[in-house]
Amino acid sequence: MKKSSLLILLLIVLTGCRSTPFGGHAVIDWVDFIKWEDIEYNGIYSGVLADEKFIGEKLGTVKYKVADNVTNPNYKIRNGDAAFHEKGTEIFTIHGQPNLIAVKDASQINGYRVYYSRDETEQQWHFKNVPLDKVNKIEIYQPYTSAGNKLLSTYTNHEELKHILELLKNSEESPNFSPNTEKGDPDYFQIVLYTDQPIAYKFDLQFDGATYYWYPGDPAILSNEIETYLKKK
């Protein structure tokens, strides 16, 4: 009996589903994807489209939204399927980026959600990959407001850019850091680093009432000097 229970539990974990062993349906935790022309594209969480001018030709539209509609863990995704986008959502190329696609998404900074071909390239939008000497603009947003992403401030001055990047670069890694949530959820910010490339780098930054921290990889503690740049200008 114990072996049978362990086998059932293992099957549930491997399928990535939450279900009862004898139920007819499962709730699947979908990865944010779009499949197009036999290529699976995954959403870029640490990057945003830098400007609408980089949007290229229309490839087609989403044919089927699998989230909320597919409960069979053995379902094989097909061309035109998307995890979370509704049928009819337009899919676009990005100029000069054959391994990227984009769809309009009002919840995203600059209005598009960007996807990369996981078979052709790796998720490369990490802070360690940012060409710091080419950052020409930084924006600070307050996300998750009733009005969406609220732009707090924009920086283009060379000295300000340099100082912000130094604060990020000199943050102290703290893998075991745990934010203080006794007084509620932390304040959330997003910082976007623009270069001359179509994809800007986006990182979450938080404040728990005592400590500013972010996630360039492992959690990292920021100097309180960063507060100056998080205020609305």
Side-chain angles (χ1 to χ4, degrees):
M1 184 65 182
K2 289 184 178 180
K3 290 183 178 179
S4 298
S5 298
L6 288 173
L7 178 59
I8 291 171
L9 178 60
L10 180 60
L11 287 173
I12 293 171
V13 171
L14 289 177
T15 56
C17 306
R18 302 189 305 276
S19 65
T20 57
F22 304 105
H25 299 281
V27 178
I28 304 174
D29 294 323
W30 293 103
V31 171
D32 186 8
F33 77 88
I34 296 173
K35 187 169 184 179
W36 191 259
E37 295 185 347
D38 297 323
I39 298 174
E40 185 173 330
Y41 295 85
N42 285 4
I44 301 175
Y45 289 94
S46 55
V48 298
L49 186 74
D51 193 288
E52 192 171 13
K53 70 181 182 182
F54 293 111
I55 291 295
E57 65 178 294
K58 176 182 171 180
L59 290 172
T61 61
V62 171
K63 305 302 181 186
Y64 187 63
K65 175 186 174 183
V66 299
D68 304 325
N69 294 311
V70 174
T71 58
N72 179 2
N74 296 316
Y75 177 83
K76 293 184 179 180
I77 62 174
R78 300 169 294 185
N79 285 323
D81 283 358
F84 305 116
H85 295 292
E86 299 291 345
K87 178 180 178 180
T89 301
E90 295 178 326
I91 305 170
F92 298 91
T93 63
I94 296 178
H95 292 310
Q97 303 292 324
N99 297 321
L100 301 181
I101 60 174
V103 299
K104 283 189 176 182
D105 187 338
S107 71
Q108 297 295 308
I109 293 171
N110 297 329
Y112 286 83
R113 181 115 174 84
V114 184
Y115 293 76
Y116 72 101
S117 167
R118 68 177 192 177
D119 294 327
E120 302 296 333
T121 187
E122 295 181 353
Q123 163 66 283
Q124 55 189 289
W125 293 271
H126 307 290
F127 184 68
K128 65 181 180 181
N129 301 124
V130 178
L132 299 179
D133 59 327
K134 295 184 178 180
V135 174
N136 52 41
K137 182 172 73 170
I138 293 177
E139 291 179 338
I140 308 293
Y141 287 85
Q142 181 183 359
Y144 316 124
T145 72
S146 59
N149 298 302
K150 182 179 180 182
L151 179 62
L152 297 179
S153 51
T154 301
Y155 301 96
T156 56
N157 176 272
H158 176 73
E159 291 303 317
E160 290 178 319
L161 295 177
K162 181 179 178 182
H163 190 209
I164 295 172
L165 294 173
E166 285 179 349
L167 291 174
L168 297 176
K169 186 171 64 173
N170 295 330
S171 60
E172 182 180 347
E173 287 190 6
S174 182
N176 298 319
F177 173 76
S178 180
N180 184 348
T181 57
E182 291 181 0
K183 296 183 179 180
D185 293 333
D187 294 330
Y188 282 83
F189 303 90
Q190 288 180 339
I191 183 167
V192 183
L193 312 179
Y194 292 84
T195 63
D196 59 352
Q197 295 301 304
I199 308 302
Y201 298 82
K202 181 194 74 174
F203 304 100
D204 291 336
L205 191 155
Q206 299 175 38
F207 178 61
D208 67 1
T211 304
Y212 288 96
Y213 57 98
W214 70 314
Y215 296 91
D218 287 329
I221 307 302
L222 288 155
S223 165
N224 285 343
E225 290 182 62
I226 197 70
E227 181 178 18
T228 303
Y229 299 101
L230 303 180
K231 297 177 180 178
K232 185 173 177 60
K233 291 182 63 177

